[in-house]
Amino acid sequence: MSEILSSWNEFSQALASCATEADVFNLKASYLGKEGTLNKILKDLKNLDPEDRARLGQEANGLKQRITEALDQRLDEIERLKVDTLLKEDRIDVTYRASMRDLGLNEAAYHPLTRIERDVEDLFFSMGFDILDGTYIEDDYHNFSALNIPPEHPARDTQDTFWFKDGVHCLRTQTSPVQIRGMEQYKPPFKFVSLGKVFRNENIDASHEMAFHQIEAMVVDKDISVGHMMHFLESLISKTLRSDVTVRLRTGYFPFVEPGFELDIQCQICHGEGCTVCKDLGWVEFCGCGLVHPKVLKEGGIDSTEWSGFAFGIGWDRLAMMRYGISDIRQMHGADLRFIKQFKSY
Ligand code: DAH
């Protein structure tokens, strides 16, 4: 067998066992590289007589061409194989019916806050409220000044604010700025509700978190009274908690309402006995509320001699804690599935 033929046979066998592109390139180097088989054959040509040299030279060039083509072909094959495997692995069975649980759509997978959010949105939607979103980053005007909390007002101190370096923007400390944003957007009469996260530099304990949640509602119409406000709050309490929850209303100071109130509910963890959540008081603040201050209406471009309104802000986490008997607010952001899975039967 000529040297050329045996080289080709050897090469073909080696090529057939090349599984990866790297194998092919290594084989290429050992045949066509500087120290490769083909160069060795060509180097040996000089020892042959001119006739054999010409013939073998031609055969060697033919071999080089065949090797080059075979290598390219093998590379193509390997590429195609790779694509085929990828396609097979990636194939999506569009007829596959995923279980609700896999998708996280199973009722059992809902976070307590989400469950309350749906109830609250359902209730308010059925009462004709719009549902508004606010922004986490607010400015001084919307978070404070427009809500009748000017600079130097002591009410600012009660809300340990995370300020940005510009001294103008902050992480909103309450959902009340949505009242201002709503008034910028609507002409009276209107009613809307907004649910979202708020931030305060709090000392963290069983009932305080740095990031927590509030529900804000605002109604502006003609001749609005505290009676209207109480009707809404009672509906909300009976929808989200049991209706036999004992509540108490006491006067409270919030600069953006006049008169202002705080509505407390009997602690549902200890049923009034006293615990860490209610700080042994037996009562938990459910919401701040009141009739919208004329200055706030004016800031929203609304004539307070013609229109009046009420607003309330609810601690959404506390509401969830009371509804589900959760004794530590830190669980809300704990990202612990064992915690969420406990709410299967609710
Ligand atoms: N924004 C108040 C807070 O975070 C709660 C509040 C009180 C909201 C009275 C209201 C209200 O809308 O009328 O403490």
Side-chain angles (χ1 to χ4, degrees), residues 204-210 317 321 326-335 339:
I204 294 171
D205 61 26
S207 51
H208 295 88
E209 254 286 18
M210 290 210 286
D317 305 80
M321 290 165 80
I326 300 164
S327 56
D328 196 321
I329 193 172
R330 289 166 288 197
Q331 301 271 20
M332 296 295 179
H333 279 156
F339 165 70

Side-chain angles (χ1 to χ4, degrees), residues 14 65 70 105-106 142 168 171 173 187 199 219 223 231 293 336:
Q65 202 179 335
L105 296 177
N106 188 301
H142 289 88
V168 174
L171 290 178
T173 57
K187 294 239 165 313
F199 308 86
V219 172
D223 303 321
H231 167 72
H293 198 291
D336 187 342

Side-chain angles (χ1 to χ4, degrees), residues 103-138:
L103 294 170
L105 296 177
N106 188 301
E107 270 292 291
Y110 287 132
H111 193 283
L113 290 175
T114 308
R115 287 163 172 261
I116 292 190
E117 179 177 24
R118 303 221 164 143
D119 282 354
V120 169
E121 287 184 350
D122 270 1
L123 174 72
F124 279 90
F125 197 68
S126 73
M127 289 173 154
F129 280 60
D130 280 356
I131 296 165
L132 294 191
D133 274 334
T135 53
Y136 289 167
I137 298 177
E138 265 301 357

Side-chain angles (χ1 to χ4, degrees), residues 268-286:
Q268 299 296 291
I269 308 286
C270 61
H271 298 283
E273 295 291 310
C275 67
T276 48
V277 172
C278 62
K279 297 229 155 68
D280 286 330
L281 296 171
W283 295 95
V284 175
E285 270 176 41
F286 180 76

Side-chain angles (χ1 to χ4, degrees), residues 137-145 151-152 156 161-171:
I137 298 177
E138 265 301 357
D139 50 37
D140 184 300
Y141 174 76
H142 289 88
N143 197 79
F144 293 115
S145 306
E152 317 305 333
R156 289 194 178 207
T161 311
F162 289 112
W163 287 101
F164 284 80
K165 278 195 181 136
D166 66 4
V168 174
H169 291 91
C170 62
L171 290 178

Side-chain angles (χ1 to χ4, degrees), residues 143 147 149 158-159 173-177 179 198 200 212 214-218 229 252-262 285 287-293 310-315:
N143 197 79
L147 287 164
I149 316 176
T158 62
Q159 304 197 356
T173 57
Q174 49 185 352
T175 43
S176 300
Q179 291 187 26
V198 299
R200 291 186 201 179
F212 54 104
Q214 288 187 341
I215 301 168
E216 188 86 19
M218 186 182 206
M229 182 184 83
Y253 174 66
F254 301 98
F256 33 92
V257 281
E258 180 59 42
F261 305 94
E262 286 190 50
E285 270 176 41
C287 76
C289 52
L291 298 187
V292 184
H293 198 291
F310 68 79
F312 54 83
I314 298 169

